[in-house]
Amino acid sequence: MDSKVPKGPLAAKWTQHKNDINLVNPANKRNIDIIVVGTGLAGGSAAATLAELGYNVKTFCYQDSPRRAHSIAAQGGINAAKNYQGDGDSAYRLFYDTIKGGDYRSREANVYRLAEESTNIIDQCVAQGVPFAREYGGLLDNRSFGGVLVSRTFYAKGQTGQQLLLGAYSAMNRQINRGKIQSFNRHEMMDMVLVDGKARGIIARDLVTGKIERHSAHAVVLATGGYGNVFFLSTNAMGSNVMAAWRAHRRGAFFANPCFTQIHPTCIPVSGDHQSKLTLMSESLRNDGRIWVPKRMDDAIAIREGKLKPIQLKEEDRDYYLERRYPAFGNLVPRDVASRAAKERCDAGFGVNKTGEAVYLDFAAAIQRYGTEEALTQGIKNADDKEITRLGKAVIEAKYGNLFQMYEKIVDENPYETPMMIYPAVHYTMGGLWVDYNLQTTIEGCYCAGEANFSDHGANRLGASALMQGLADGYFVLPYTIGDYLSKDIRTGAIPTDSPEFDDAEKSVQDRLDKLMAGSGQNSVDFYHKKLGKIMWDKCGMARNAKDLQDAIDEISALRTDFWANVKIPGKAEGMNQELEKAGRVADFLELGELFAKDALTRNESCGGHFREEYQTPEGEALRDDENFKFVSAWEYKGEPKDAVLHKEELKYENIELKTRSYK
């Protein structure tokens, strides 16, 4: 496993690397084809940039339009070290916060490059017309996110992902109109084709007609997002899946750190068994919302039983537990810390909804604070409480209005008047395909960008870093590094699709579809997905232990066997069949879930989002083992998850001191 990290000082590695790698001249780019699977922020920005450079690009997405990628759901913002606030930010500070936030389990060089390129992302997006919020003087506004002590998060209300995706999509559309991008919507990658050990194309299924298609290229880029839906209930779109990455894994791409999954602390709580997904409330709300539960058990019980309203509870009877436990960062601790703290309070019996699995996110203090400031700004002296509340609500609405509206539509409570109820839920996956410094997987010619790779976030992602990584990879990293590889293909010519390798890959896809359709029809696809999700949440969720993880491995293996024998898929494989689509994805989740549990079982430490109950400090914090587990777990496919072979990339920290992570 060669990470290909350049030699030299950390701050000079990326610049020197760009000077050293080979380039492809414009005339030769016209003769080279690239496939990009996934058209969210990472894939869309990569496709647009590669086409702009002159390559011939084919894009594939299972949605009816790239605008429906799950990137659109990102709410709170995107990080960049531009230091507009003058509060001490820098590329190094962003690098340090990201490494520390990931609990020292990410690759130094990749993270520093991410911090370097962050400033270019903002300029690129402003040039595209992304309507970032601005402060009074006209500069772009910033807000804080968890795990940092500066304001570096650029935002567009609570719709940042949507606005950034529209920017990338407009850049893609320009290239589609020029004929440099061929867009294949409603197509799903079913397999990767290797010729002489190199990724030379994919087998795709037209989800409207059911037709199996062959597409060749000189390189393949996977940018298909994360695998949070292995838990069934998550904040991910229902269609989000692991298929493209997992099929590449089956062809030889190592899968890294599958157990590193992020539980987001501010989601709307589960309301019943009928739900198919959960809804995120942006972390940006923790800038102004204070998180609390009742101090006394009898008050918590009264609230759960509907006998007491939260606004009736006096200030001295509330436990602002994050402010109490982590005074330096307060409500803006990293997501893994905030999630475990919420679970601890609810497990202790202080939860506030009917199920006992919710805490409050309260904006009353912020409304008063902003109202007072606004009254003074407008020259209103001696404003009464009613006027201050009115003005404060207007400020909150300007910052978070669409989020408050979404909450009210789902919960049927007005969050301006009564505190929001929130609880942790599966959100982001830090694990993914292993990539080197150039974003190339262990398959030559197969690249991976954005959430689909493992590279930048370690064991926990800081808020507002997902959009940053996706756009950095797509706009500013991959277009350089892929050229170094493609410089060897300028005389290769078009890759034929009538080769034995394409024949074999297509047959493998067809055989798999036939096997899925041959199930006895005892249970639906969702039956198996929900069962898998319950195993994953109960035994591989916010807290894990050796016994539960071993049980999960055994139970998932048995569930997978039952799935292949007894799944029910109505209709035919020839034509549109959404149950068949789901079945293929759940089949992959049933393999990934077992590898996830196996990875968690082998990592005998707690770090970031991976919390092993056997390894914690007396205060209940994660207890790392840097001596034995300072490595990336990269798994090689061997037919069954139980047979997967572990490879280790040792992590070197030459520019940062490893410390016990503290936010107190």
Side-chain angles (χ1 to χ4, degrees), residues 4 6 31 182 310 316 412 471 485 541 546 614:
K4 295 186 173 66
N31 301 318
Q182 282 184 273
E316 59 267 26
D412 197 27
L471 292 182
Y485 170 77
E614 306 97 317

Side-chain angles (χ1 to χ4, degrees), residues 150-440:
V150 298
S151 294
R152 65 161 67 102
T153 303
F154 296 78
Y155 64 99
K157 230 174 186 180
Q159 308 168 349
T160 314
Q162 180 182 22
Q163 299 303 327
L164 292 172
L165 186 63
L166 288 172
Y169 178 68
S170 66
M172 273 186 68
N173 251 357
R174 179 171 180 269
Q175 300 306 321
I176 292 170
N177 291 334
R178 291 181 64 221
K180 295 303 293 181
I181 292 179
Q182 282 184 273
S183 181
F184 293 86
N185 300 341
R186 296 294 288 142
H187 280 68
E188 188 157 51
M189 173 183 153
M190 306 297 288
D191 207 349
M192 179 171 287
V193 182
L194 273 57
V195 180
D196 296 328
K198 297 180 179 180
R200 291 302 199 188
I202 66 169
I203 304 296
R205 181 172 181 267
D206 184 325
L207 299 179
V208 176
T209 66
K211 182 183 176 185
I212 305 298
E213 300 176 358
R214 305 180 182 192
H215 296 273
S216 66
H218 297 89
V220 177
V221 177
L222 303 181
T224 49
Y227 49 88
N229 274 352
V230 70
F231 287 83
F232 186 71
L233 281 179
S234 79
T235 66
N236 288 192
M238 282 303 293
S240 298
N241 62 81
V242 76
M243 183 178 284
W246 195 255
R247 300 301 166 84
H249 174 56
R250 291 168 67 97
R251 290 290 181 184
F254 291 2
F255 207 100
N257 297 339
C259 78
F260 285 171
T261 304
Q262 181 169 86
I263 312 293
H264 197 294
T266 54
C267 299
I268 296 178
V270 176
S271 61
D273 294 336
H274 60 282
Q275 281 184 261
S276 57
K277 78 176 301 293
L278 297 172
T279 304
L280 173 70
M281 289 285 101
S282 170
E283 181 176 322
S284 63
L285 296 174
R286 288 199 278 148
N287 268 290
D288 291 311
R290 300 177 72 193
I291 296 173
W292 63 274
V293 293
K295 280 184 180 179
R296 296 199 302 265
M297 184 73 72
D298 55 346
D299 287 337
I301 293 170
I303 286 175
R304 287 200 292 271
E305 293 177 348
K307 298 175 181 176
L308 182 68
K309 294 183 178 179
I311 56 174
Q312 295 174 320
L313 211 60
K314 296 178 181 178
E315 190 73 10
E316 59 267 26
D317 294 328
R318 302 178 179 190
D319 178 15
Y320 295 94
Y321 58 88
L322 290 178
E323 298 172 29
R324 169 172 56 81
R325 290 176 61 176
Y326 308 102
F329 284 74
N331 295 295
L332 286 173
V333 292
R335 291 173 176 177
D336 60 315
V337 177
S339 293
R340 282 198 299 276
K343 182 179 187 297
E344 185 275 328
R345 287 290 79 196
C346 291
D347 288 350
F350 294 92
V352 295
N353 69 345
K354 291 180 180 178
T355 67
E357 293 186 327
V359 299
Y360 286 127
L361 180 62
D362 194 336
F363 288 85
I367 288 170
Q368 293 301 306
R369 185 176 73 251
Y370 283 127
T372 302
E373 288 179 8
E374 193 67 15
L376 292 171
T377 301
Q378 295 183 17
I380 303 172
K381 296 182 179 180
N382 302 317
D384 59 21
D385 287 344
K386 185 177 180 180
E387 181 68 6
I388 286 173
T389 300
R390 183 187 69 81
L391 292 170
K393 286 180 179 178
V395 174
I396 292 293
E397 183 178 8
K399 296 179 75 172
Y400 310 114
N402 62 305
L403 298 173
F404 277 53
Q405 183 184 41
M406 185 166 64
Y407 179 89
E408 186 168 6
K409 282 182 177 294
I410 293 171
V411 181
D412 197 27
E413 286 186 0
N414 183 350
Y416 294 100
E417 304 294 338
T418 189
M420 287 184 180
M421 287 187 293
I422 57 168
Y423 193 69
V426 172
H427 179 54
Y428 186 92
T429 52
M430 285 77 67
L433 293 182
W434 183 91
V435 292
D436 62 19
Y437 189 72
N438 296 320
L439 304 186
Q440 186 170 225

Side-chain angles (χ1 to χ4, degrees), residues 498-610:
D498 58 356
S499 64
E501 291 85 355
F502 274 89
D503 292 343
D504 292 345
E506 183 175 333
K507 183 179 184 304
S508 175
V509 167
Q510 191 61 57
D511 289 347
R512 189 175 178 87
L513 292 174
D514 292 342
K515 187 178 179 182
L516 283 169
M517 296 299 297
S520 69
Q522 298 294 314
N523 302 300
S524 69
V525 176
D526 281 345
F527 170 86
Y528 290 101
H529 198 176
K530 287 180 179 179
K531 275 189 170 296
L532 172 63
K534 181 163 178 53
I535 295 169
M536 295 297 296
W537 180 251
D538 289 347
K539 299 179 179 179
C540 308
M542 272 194 281
R544 305 155 184 181
N545 60 65
K547 181 184 181 304
D548 281 350
L549 290 169
Q550 185 58 61
D551 288 346
I553 291 170
D554 297 337
E555 290 172 25
I556 294 170
S557 179
L559 186 65
R560 186 169 65 252
T561 300
D562 186 59
F563 168 86
W564 281 104
N566 296 314
V567 69
K568 177 180 182 178
I569 303 174
K572 299 178 180 179
E574 300 79 23
M576 182 181 288
N577 189 333
Q578 292 188 314
E579 284 301 299
L580 180 58
E581 292 174 38
K582 285 198 297 184
R585 297 164 188 170
V586 172
D588 291 335
F589 281 140
L590 284 163
E591 293 185 7
L592 168 67
E594 185 176 338
L595 184 65
F596 183 121
K598 180 175 180 175
D599 184 45
L601 184 60
T602 61
R603 188 168 283 276
N604 294 320
E605 65 162 353
S606 290
C607 57
H610 170 64

